[in-house]
Amino acid sequence: MSVDAEAGRLKTEADEPGWEVDPDDDWGVAVIATVGRQLRLRREAVGMRVPDFGTAVGYGDDLVYKIEAGKRIPRQEYLDRADEVLNAGGLIAAAWEDVKKVRYPKKVRALAKMEAKAVEIGVYECSNIHGLLQTPEHARALLESWKPAYSPEDLERLVAARVARQSIYERTPAPALGFVLEEATLHRRVGGTMVRRQQFERLLEVGRLPNVTLQVMPLDSAPHPGMSGRIELLKFEDGTAVGRADGAFNGRPVHDLRELRILDLRYGTIRAQALPPRESLALIERLLGDT
């Protein structure tokens, strides 16, 4: 049960930041509204009042009302508990399959969808450790520095979305992933000592995966084609690809073969100038030891 056993209270909105509905996401709004309506209809069908239902599932009245009104995204545990309380035979619990698809911001879902289909991903990152490599703590510390500041709810929503994209490492067959990071991003003090140590450990863990190539561009490198910004290349099973670079084609996604060849050439040159994978991991190990 989701009641906080130690505190003896029902969950409130403050316990679940980052589960608000994105008003600009029409599909997400429709899905959550439909799920909320079904929850209300089933509750009313069995004759349960909101206070009684809230106590049974371990949530406060206000949160129950907002979920049923389609203004809050229900967690999986909420749907599972509601299914038991309302004796729905798994129908309510099954709604999680739809809810989880709209759990995160629309732009993040679109990116994750492309990443999930790619058989090869190559990324050069010049200003940050790439999102697919970040620990939750590093992502949170990084996002906390942005101005104007995110609300606590939006912050947690973005952190959860960034971490969810990392399910790409669990895919079978595994895609080929290549990352080139500027050494400067590893020296930047994002978060405290423990956050930095955990991030270095994560980089070493991912960098040792058989389908991952992790390289570092050293501080004393010669000028290279990535100095104008990030480069991303995603290639798909059907032979198509999409790419984007901050310093090319106005930063827009490109599919044209000629433009893709240009990005591929730039990315290949960057990889050739970066430290080899083994030396890159050795550098990260030294930084970890110095932290």
Side-chain angles (χ1 to χ4, degrees):
M1 191 170 178
S2 56
V3 178
D4 188 326
E6 294 184 2
R9 61 180 177 80
L10 305 180
K11 282 192 174 181
T12 66
E13 286 190 90
D15 300 312
E16 298 190 347
W19 289 76
E20 290 73 25
V21 178
D22 182 354
D24 296 323
D25 183 358
D26 294 340
W27 181 48
V29 168
V31 169
I32 300 307
T34 299
V35 171
R37 188 182 309 112
Q38 292 301 317
L39 281 164
R40 177 177 58 80
L41 291 173
R42 284 193 170 271
R43 175 182 58 76
E44 293 175 346
V46 300
M48 287 192 76
R49 297 167 53 249
V50 167
D52 298 328
F53 176 75
T55 299
V57 297
Y59 281 72
D61 294 5
D62 186 53
L63 202 50
V64 172
Y65 279 122
K66 287 191 174 182
I67 289 174
E68 292 187 355
K71 296 180 179 179
R72 288 275 299 188
I73 302 171
R75 286 179 179 264
Q76 185 174 16
E77 67 173 40
Y78 181 96
L79 295 173
D80 289 344
R81 184 60 184 156
D83 194 278
E84 295 175 10
V85 170
L86 300 176
N87 194 28
L91 293 177
I92 291 178
W96 176 249
E97 292 302 313
D98 293 319
V99 171
K100 70 181 181 181
K101 295 176 183 177
V102 298
R103 162 72 178 92
Y104 306 112
K106 186 176 181 180
K107 289 183 179 179
V108 176
R109 292 204 310 270
L111 177 58
K113 187 176 181 180
M114 285 197 299
E115 290 173 344
K117 293 180 178 179
V119 296
E120 183 179 340
I121 298 176
V123 177
Y124 161 73
E125 182 63 79
C126 60
S127 58
N128 298 304
I129 292 173
H130 192 266
L132 290 176
L133 299 169
Q134 293 175 10
T135 65
E137 294 77 16
H138 181 98
R140 184 175 293 105
L142 191 64
L143 291 167
E144 284 176 341
S145 70
W146 287 23
K147 302 296 180 185
Y150 290 112
S151 68
E153 294 78 13
D154 287 341
L155 177 65
E156 293 305 317
R157 184 181 174 92
L158 288 168
V159 170
R162 188 161 295 184
V163 172
R165 285 170 53 203
Q166 297 180 14
S167 62
I168 192 172
Y169 296 113
E170 302 168 7
R171 276 179 49 193
T172 303
L177 304 173
F179 301 96
V180 182
L181 306 176
E182 286 286 346
E183 184 181 345
T185 65
L186 304 178
H187 290 282
R188 186 163 293 117
R189 297 185 178 277
V190 178
T193 299
M194 187 54 65
V195 171
R196 296 190 71 220
R197 287 189 61 84
Q198 290 173 344
Q199 182 58 67
F200 289 145
E201 290 169 352
R202 177 60 174 166
L203 290 175
L204 291 172
E205 176 188 7
V206 174
R208 291 175 179 138
L209 294 175
N211 63 309
V212 175
T213 300
L214 178 60
Q215 295 178 260
V216 175
M217 182 69 73
L219 288 170
D220 60 357
S221 71
H224 58 77
M227 296 183 68
S228 57
R230 176 193 302 177
I231 296 176
E232 297 173 292
L233 285 166
L234 285 77
K235 300 179 181 180
F236 306 102
E237 190 173 13
D238 62 2
T240 61
V242 61
R244 192 187 72 81
D246 290 341
F249 314 118
N250 297 317
R252 59 177 173 78
V254 298
H255 301 81
D256 178 75
L257 289 179
R258 184 187 64 83
E259 294 174 338
L260 285 170
R261 279 197 294 271
I262 291 173
L263 297 187
D264 204 33
L265 174 62
R266 293 184 181 182
Y267 182 63
T269 303
I270 290 169
R271 291 190 63 182
Q273 287 187 228
L275 295 175
R278 182 174 296 182
E279 293 181 27
S280 296
L281 294 180
L283 171 60
I284 296 171
E285 287 177 337
R286 290 197 297 273
L287 291 172
L288 173 60
D290 293 341
T291 304

